Amino acid sequence: MNQHSSPTSTATQPIHLTLDGQPITVEPGSTVAVAIAIAGRTCRTSITGEPRGPLCAMGICFECRATINGIAHRRTCQVVCEPGMDIVTQ
């Protein structure tokens, strides 16, 4: 172990956040899209009522949009989870 790492480094600690008002825990490095999938949720519904979620996983399709920390239409596949994050799906 080098001088910059420790057994309780935040890089290895689970990340706690809120998804649609419910607490959820994910591994460090997880995207918001992963958190939504772990919770068994979808990101939004289409205008025809179909559930939508990550399709391309590289930010091009915009199918995985959700509100993150009060900012609407964020591409969840492009945002890495941070402690205390508040995510709202449609």
Side-chain angles (χ1 to χ4, degrees):
M1 184 164 22
N2 67 37
Q3 67 185 15
H4 299 290
S5 63
S6 69
T8 58
S9 170
T10 56
T12 60
Q13 295 298 309
I15 296 174
H16 304 283
L17 46 91
T18 303
L19 175 62
D20 293 331
Q22 300 297 314
I24 185 170
T25 302
V26 297
E27 294 297 315
S30 298
T31 63
V32 173
V34 168
I36 293 169
I38 288 170
R41 308 286 309 226
T42 58
C43 294
R44 62 187 191 87
T45 54
S46 69
I47 58 172
T48 60
E50 296 295 319
R52 309 307 284 175
L55 180 65
C56 72
M58 59 187 192
I60 295 173
C61 73
F62 288 78
E63 292 295 327
C64 65
R65 292 174 289 154
T67 300
I68 302 172
N69 292 334
I71 302 171
H73 305 294
R74 298 288 310 271
R75 292 172 285 177
T76 63
C77 69
Q78 298 295 295
V79 179
V80 176
C81 292
E82 296 176 359
M85 194 174 257
D86 182 41
I87 304 159
V88 179
T89 62
Q90 185 180 24

